[in-house]
Amino acid sequence: MTSVSDCFQALKKQGTCALIPFITAGDPNLGTTAEALRVLDQSGADLIELGVPYSDPLADGPVIQAAATRALQQGVTLDKVLEVVQSVQGEVKAPIILFTYYNPIFYRGIDNFLAQVAQAGVKGLVVPDLPLEEAEVLLKPAAAQGIDVTLLVAPTSPKERIEAIAKQSQGFIYLVSVTGVTGTRTEVASRVKDIIPSLRGMTDKPIGVGFGISQPEHAQQIKAWGADAVIVGSAFVKRLAENSPPEGLKAIGEFCRSLKAAIVTDQ
Amino acid sequence: MTTTPLSPSTQTQQQPDSLGRFGRFGGKYVPETLMPALAELEAAYEQYRQDPDFLQELDGLLGDYVGRPNPLYFAERLTAHYAKPDGSGPQIYLKREDLNHTGAHKINNALGQVLLAKRMGKGRIIAETGAGQHGVATATVCARFGLECVIYMGVQDMERQALNVFRMRLMGARVQPVAAGTGTLKDATSEAIRDWVTNVETTHYILGSVAGPHPYPMMVRDFHGVIGKETRQQALEKWGGVPDILLACVGGGSNAMGLFYEFVEDAQVRLIGVEAAGEGTETDKHAATLTKGRPGVLHGAMSYLLQDEEGQVIEAHSISAGLDYPGVGPEHSYLKETGRAEYYSVTDGEAIAALQRLAQLEGIIPALETSHAIAYLETLCPQLTGSPRLVINCSGRGDKDVQTVAKYLGSAE
């Protein structure tokens, strides 16, 4: 696996909009998670976000909350999630970004946590409850371990804040498309259309758009508005949750390919 | 009626720093979407806490609507109960927050925040509630000001506090059940935060404790600071001094901070917070966060937290819905770590016994939350020498709890 930044560099050269699927680790079980990483990698995923299940996922809607609860009930731990990441090293080319809330990082100790995730082969981190002001403790030590910490920008963020976040964010900038939690929505928020060009004027870092994107048409729209990456979460988690593991894997593979097709065959 | 600034400017060391930290506790651990709203709230609060019109409106309503000042009542028979054979023993006073409109201290903060929300132009109010007292207080002030009101409440709490659910609905609030987790205060708070993330531009979140991201711990404390200010004034009138000991229950810790804050710089005043030990701190069914927890992040703040070896938050347990919370306000963590305040815990059974004791000795039925503070007298009084003046924050009345108590006593027989 290459780093998140290098991956985006390469995609940029090709003029490709990246697809970043998200799945919750350990739902329905860790074996399926490992297989899902392989399937997504082979079905057009350019990077993969892997959610570490947490007891109080404040930024998540019902689909990912329920997946995290099921995973925790089965005894999924951070160590076990990292074992899965390690087990697919060499096979999965897409860089893996860990999506985790801050308390498990803090509990383990930042340096200790970073050393362990780097060792497992994790390339990036997204910590949804660590805004810019609180993220400083993580940014530098992560960079020293070769891990990109990607910060989030929201539709409510004022211009000066967006500038400051864009400056500090590593790998890419995660633009939250809606005021709200993760989860599928029927329409893509049109505010994104205005925020992307404004972000462009402030930074040359790649822009990834997530939250609420669940259909190939959404992905196509986001790409057309100028995003460098489209992040899709709940729609994948739901497909894994609603089917038996073999059927779920098949479903996410097909879905991943349909999203990819939507963003490569742009008019 | 006099209007004084909410916080005396002399107490600068008790103000959080620019990131909202009390020592290493506090902060703003929230999704980015909420950061501008917190900044807006902080700015509005800074503006209005010194604004004469705001303070005059607040003071007027605290007087005529809430019924303040409430009495500092000398509990004569409770004092006699704990007197030593030589006649010495603590002189026990109750700060009667239970006599406020809606029956608890919670309305002090709900009123302050709704006045703020009104000035900020927010027409929709949300809140979380455990025992239902904060939910009732919020529903009350929303009715008073004609604002839309949604209260998030765990399904388990809705069952054990059914009376309060009905009260909220009577006043026109929508009570939104939360089934996630164990259906208690922690889950209701998470759901309220999710609502706020979604509707942040039109909605003000009236957080009900000295918890959550900055500026809530400071702001909620300041709105409850009236409890300590009145206590100081009343103590001066009654015995010409300050109390020797302050005693209050701690869940998130709002009533305790409201009483303590005024006296933090009076080093001779002992500050004692009492947490819920549930079925015992040696079991896994308790809510004794400061006694048994470790620092961590929950609902936007760094504070003591009940968590497992993976940093996952553990469900708390207490017979009292208002104390059934695995976190605690960051300023309490700071007061504990600096040694300024002491924190202990009492069990469900001890709290029930204390509720019965106060009912029979004083004709006052305290809330189950409050009963935890009263229960600690059993441990504290024998340790005291002389006749120190002890003020207990009688933070709420127990009408809402009579069914829970009846059930507990029935099953204990």
Side-chain angles (χ1 to χ4, degrees), chain A residues 156-164 198 202:
Chain A
T156 52
S157 309
K159 192 164 177 277
E160 316 78 65
R161 237 190 116 69
I162 295 179
E163 268 173 14
S198 135
M202 299 176 203

Side-chain angles (χ1 to χ4, degrees), chain A residues 18-196:
Chain A
L19 174 62
I20 312 181
F22 168 102
I23 54 171
T24 299
D27 184 51
N29 55 58
L30 289 161
T32 305
T33 301
E35 194 51 36
L37 294 173
R38 295 185 189 100
V39 168
L40 293 171
D41 186 52
Q42 288 156 18
S43 307
D46 297 293
L47 301 99
I48 303 171
E49 252 189 76
L50 187 60
V52 179
Y54 183 55
S55 55
D56 295 80
L58 273 187
D60 284 304
V63 171
I64 295 175
Q65 274 182 59
T69 303
R70 285 191 298 268
L72 289 174
Q73 278 164 354
Q74 293 185 58
V76 172
T77 62
L78 178 61
D79 286 343
K80 290 178 186 173
V81 175
L82 294 181
E83 279 171 30
V84 169
V85 174
Q86 189 129 37
S87 74
V88 299
Q89 292 298 307
E91 289 177 81
V92 172
K93 289 187 296 296
I96 293 176
I97 299 167
L98 222 52
F99 180 102
T100 175
Y101 288 83
Y102 184 55
N103 197 53
I105 300 177
F106 176 75
Y107 191 89
R108 206 164 268 233
I110 287 173
D111 292 335
N112 197 11
F113 170 86
L114 287 170
Q116 288 168 345
V117 300
Q119 171 70 27
V122 169
K123 298 299 177 190
L125 281 176
V126 174
V127 188
D129 56 350
L130 214 55
L132 178 64
E133 289 80 349
E134 306 290 358
E136 277 169 27
V137 293
L138 191 61
L139 285 161
K140 255 198 192 143
Q145 293 276 3
I147 292 176
D148 287 318
V149 178
T150 295
L151 301 177
L152 294 91
V153 164
T156 52
S157 309
K159 192 164 177 277
E160 316 78 65
R161 237 190 116 69
I162 295 179
E163 268 173 14
I165 294 167
K167 206 170 163 190
Q168 295 292 324
S169 188
Q170 302 163 347
F172 66 106
I173 295 156
Y174 193 133
L175 173 59
V176 175
S177 74
V178 290
T179 56
V181 293
T182 61
T184 60
R185 288 168 180 80
T186 48
E187 278 175 46
V188 177
S190 55
R191 275 158 97 170
V192 172
K193 189 183 174 182
D194 303 323
I195 301 173
I196 293 174

Side-chain angles (χ1 to χ4, degrees), chain A residues 57-58 60-62 65 181, chain B residues 126-128 152-153 176-180 184-198 205 299:
Chain A
L58 273 187
D60 284 304
Q65 274 182 59
V181 293
Chain B
I126 58 168
E128 83 296 338
Y152 287 90
M153 190 169 188
Q176 186 66 43
V178 179
T184 61
L185 180 55
K186 170 179 87 102
D187 311 296
T189 306
S190 295
E191 210 48 42
I193 293 174
R194 291 189 187 105
D195 179 315
W196 200 32
V197 172
T198 308
Y205 176 23
H299 296 144

Side-chain angles (χ1 to χ4, degrees), chain B residues 16-198:
Chain B
D17 68 15
S18 61
L19 287 177
R21 291 195 181 269
F22 303 92
R24 62 177 170 141
F25 301 107
K28 295 177 179 177
Y29 297 89
V30 294
E32 170 61 22
T33 310
L34 292 182
M35 292 299 282
L38 291 173
E40 181 192 0
L41 180 59
E42 208 178 327
Y45 179 61
E46 283 305 321
Q47 178 187 344
Y48 291 113
R49 70 193 295 183
Q50 308 284 352
D51 177 68
D53 289 341
F54 178 85
L55 293 171
Q56 194 177 359
E57 187 177 7
L58 180 59
D59 273 355
L61 287 161
L62 284 174
D64 295 345
Y65 190 63
V66 176
R68 303 201 73 99
N70 56 45
L72 182 65
Y73 164 74
F74 178 58
E76 195 177 342
R77 293 191 69 219
L78 189 67
T79 296
H81 178 78
Y82 287 109
K84 291 182 177 158
D86 66 359
S88 72
Q91 305 290 297
I92 304 171
Y93 291 80
L94 303 178
K95 180 59 179 159
R96 298 293 307 275
E97 292 297 309
D98 60 317
L99 293 179
N100 291 344
H101 178 41
T102 71
H105 70 291
K106 292 290 186 187
I107 193 145
N108 303 324
N109 167 55
L111 190 58
Q113 285 200 47
V114 87
L115 293 182
L116 208 53
K118 210 177 66 164
R119 282 165 172 77
M120 291 166 71
K122 309 275 183 179
R124 180 174 179 268
I125 299 291
I126 58 168
E128 83 296 338
T129 199
Q133 289 304 105
H134 175 57
V136 166
T138 303
T140 300
V141 296
C142 286
R144 170 67 182 72
F145 289 96
L147 300 174
E148 183 189 348
C149 179
V150 179
I151 305 292
Y152 287 90
M153 190 169 188
V155 288
Q156 190 192 322
D157 290 341
M158 285 179 72
E159 187 189 324
R160 55 181 168 173
Q161 306 287 345
L163 180 66
N164 273 344
V165 174
F166 189 65
R167 291 169 77 193
M168 289 183 262
R169 287 178 174 155
L170 269 180
M171 290 182 285
R174 183 157 68 81
V175 181
Q176 186 66 43
V178 179
T182 53
T184 61
L185 180 55
K186 170 179 87 102
D187 311 296
T189 306
S190 295
E191 210 48 42
I193 293 174
R194 291 189 187 105
D195 179 315
W196 200 32
V197 172
T198 308

